[in-house]
Amino acid sequence: MSTSTGRRLRADAEHNIARILAAAEEVLAVDPAASLEQIGEAAGLTRATVHRRFASRQALLEALTERLNQRYLSALDQSKAETAPPLVVLRRLTEIVFELKISHRFTMELMSARDGCRSGLSPEVEAGLEQVFVRLREAGEITATGADWCRQVYLALLHEAHELPDDAADLVAAGRSRAELVVRAVVGALGGAPSPVGG
Amino acid sequence: MSTSTGRRLRADAEHNIARILAAAEEVLAVDPAASLEQIGEAAGLTRATVHRRFASRQALLEALTERLNQRYLSALDQSKAETAPPLVVLRRLTEIVFELKISHRFTMELMSARDGCRSGLSPEVEAGLEQVFVRLREAGEITATGADWCRQVYLALLHEAHELPDDAADLVAAGRSRAELVVRAVVGALGGAPSPVGG
DNA sequence: ATTAAGTGATACACGCCTGTCGCAGTTAAG
DNA sequence: CTTAACTGCGACAGGCGTGTATCACTTAAT
């Protein structure tokens, strides 16, 4: 709905849209309540121009989330393309998302802030993620069946691992790789052992 | 630092402080950017009175976090008092914190929003939580050694389980109890199996 | 009952962000 | 080159939240 709203833009205008989005990400990562003025300044543009490209602050934020959803899709493609074993897919995906968390910190948190029960992720991304867990289950790596639960646990552990200081003991134990740590934790959380109690 | 700043307050004033805090929690849970006016109205008081009791918005928020930290401490006491087995302690603690997440939703999220690497939790609460994981490790239930990692994983999984819809498949599998689900996931994530990959 | 504390109501100053104009100058596109 | 698009600049109106202060009134404390 935001891609090509009317007729084609001039090249420089299109270019400025990119600069605004990049600047917004950069500035809002530092101060989530930053004004459009600050964003424009960081983009080397005027507030007026920001308004010309994005009718409202809300519109700008929506453009940011749409952009991140595209990166997510691309990440999913990159990691599962070669029909690799599901654990490898999970590890690759994790590594890419770690990079996204660095370059798109603000938007990541924006999308994590659920309103109600929505995840902020596009349906396509959610479906792609679900596929990863379906394959993990088929391969016997996990036992959990709920798509929501799997996705939430994964993203949560990914996030926490990312917040971890560089010299954390558990990181060393995982061979210095945050991705390794996440993969192990996710597999453990989603059910290495079937059911130690009842049922 | 906020308890008994100067001389004693009159009884009704002290009472109003409690009403303001309760109203703030209630209102901010719905709209985190709500004005002091809205909070005052919800408390049956005027904005002026809110300002009399809390010099600034910032001061009010700090009072909220201090309050929640006290609840955390009390929760830790309640769950580990009887020297119960660590897994039971974890489950009890989880159940209590679930209730806190309902009654203190806003403040929970306020404290989760880390600025830098601080957790928002008071040192006492962090220490108490660490003790729980130390005992879990001594009992052989987990293998992870990092205090930060353990705490973060626990709180994250707790949060995600709480966000889960009531009819989630994994909840049924865990015997309908979110606390059960969290305990299993935490134990799994923090290392049921030592190290399936390398040295 | 007396006094000090507390509240309601109202008003004001201040600052900030948003959204929208218009105009002059610059730049891409054909 | 010529035109239409785009930007910078400045200005404006409107809204909202904060923080402070004053004054009359009510209430707890002793």
Side-chain angles (χ1 to χ4, degrees):
Chain A
M1 190 168 285
S2 70
T3 23
S4 70
T5 305
R7 65 182 168 294
R8 295 180 52 189
L9 293 171
R10 230 170 67 178
D12 54 348
E14 203 101 38
H15 187 230
N16 280 341
I17 290 184
R19 310 213 339 180
I20 294 174
L21 287 174
E25 179 55 54
E26 183 182 353
V27 172
L28 293 175
V30 176
D31 175 17
S35 67
L36 298 186
E37 177 112 45
Q38 293 173 272
I39 294 175
E41 184 183 355
L45 299 172
T46 322
R47 185 171 68 94
T49 302
V50 177
H51 271 102
R52 284 189 192 104
R53 299 289 141 240
F54 301 95
S56 67
R57 182 189 188 87
Q58 174 66 12
L60 175 56
L61 296 185
E62 286 173 5
L64 280 176
T65 75
E66 185 179 326
R67 185 173 166 240
L68 182 50
N69 266 319
Q70 291 171 356
R71 309 287 171 121
Y72 264 123
L73 273 183
S74 134
L76 281 166
D77 277 357
Q78 287 181 46
S79 45
K80 81 180 175 189
E82 316 174 30
T83 326
L87 275 182
V88 175
V89 172
L90 187 62
R91 192 177 131 283
R92 283 183 191 164
L93 180 62
T94 304
E95 282 167 355
I96 302 179
V97 177
F98 271 140
E99 290 170 16
L100 288 183
K101 277 188 107 63
I102 296 175
S103 55
H104 297 63
R105 201 166 71 103
F106 167 76
T107 312
M108 286 291 266
E109 293 182 4
L110 177 64
M111 291 172 65
S112 297
R114 313 171 177 78
D115 302 319
C117 57
R118 296 206 44 198
S119 70
L121 297 173
S122 74
E124 292 83 6
V125 175
E126 286 196 354
L129 260 180
E130 186 173 352
Q131 262 307 306
V132 174
F133 291 107
V134 166
R135 291 181 187 167
L136 278 170
R137 202 177 310 118
E138 289 173 348
E141 300 290 355
I142 67 175
T143 62
T145 58
D148 289 346
W149 176 239
C150 290
R151 169 173 35 81
Q152 289 177 206
V153 166
Y154 173 57
L155 292 178
L157 291 177
L158 186 64
H159 180 69
E160 301 304 333
H162 183 251
E163 301 279 311
L164 225 51
D166 282 343
D167 58 335
D170 302 272
L171 267 180
V172 185
R176 277 280 169 222
S177 159
R178 292 179 206 279
E180 279 291 334
L181 182 59
V182 170
V183 170
R184 289 185 195 180
V186 167
V187 170
L190 295 183
S195 184
V197 181
Chain B
M1 188 168 287
S2 71
T3 22
S4 70
T5 304
R7 64 181 169 294
R8 295 179 52 190
L9 293 171
R10 232 170 66 177
D12 54 349
E14 203 103 37
H15 188 230
N16 280 341
I17 290 185
R19 309 216 335 182
I20 294 174
L21 287 174
E25 179 55 55
E26 183 183 354
V27 172
L28 293 175
V30 176
D31 176 16
S35 67
L36 297 185
E37 176 112 45
Q38 294 173 273
I39 294 174
E41 183 183 355
L45 300 171
T46 321
R47 184 170 69 94
T49 301
V50 177
H51 272 101
R52 284 189 192 104
R53 300 288 139 241
F54 301 95
S56 68
R57 182 189 188 87
Q58 173 67 12
L60 175 56
L61 296 185
E62 287 173 4
L64 280 176
T65 75
E66 186 179 326
R67 186 171 164 242
L68 181 51
N69 265 319
Q70 291 172 357
R71 309 287 171 120
Y72 263 123
L73 273 183
S74 133
L76 280 166
D77 278 357
Q78 288 181 46
S79 44
K80 81 180 175 189
E82 318 173 29
T83 327
L87 276 182
V88 175
V89 172
L90 187 63
R91 192 177 131 283
R92 284 183 190 164
L93 180 62
T94 304
E95 282 168 352
I96 301 179
V97 177
F98 271 140
E99 290 171 16
L100 288 182
K101 277 188 107 63
I102 296 175
S103 55
H104 297 64
R105 200 165 73 103
F106 167 76
T107 312
M108 286 291 264
E109 292 182 5
L110 177 65
M111 290 172 65
S112 298
R114 312 172 177 78
D115 302 319
C117 55
R118 296 206 44 198
S119 69
L121 296 174
S122 75
E124 292 83 5
V125 175
E126 286 196 355
L129 260 181
E130 186 174 351
Q131 262 307 306
V132 175
F133 291 108
V134 166
R135 291 182 187 165
L136 278 170
R137 202 177 311 116
E138 289 174 347
E141 301 290 355
I142 68 175
T143 63
T145 57
D148 290 346
W149 176 239
C150 290
R151 170 172 35 80
Q152 289 176 208
V153 166
Y154 172 56
L155 292 178
L157 292 179
L158 185 64
H159 180 69
E160 300 304 333
H162 183 252
E163 300 279 310
L164 225 50
D166 283 342
D167 58 334
D170 301 272
L171 266 180
V172 185
R176 276 280 170 222
S177 159
R178 291 177 206 278
E180 279 292 334
L181 183 59
V182 171
V183 170
R184 289 184 196 179
V186 168
V187 170
L190 296 182
S195 182
V197 181

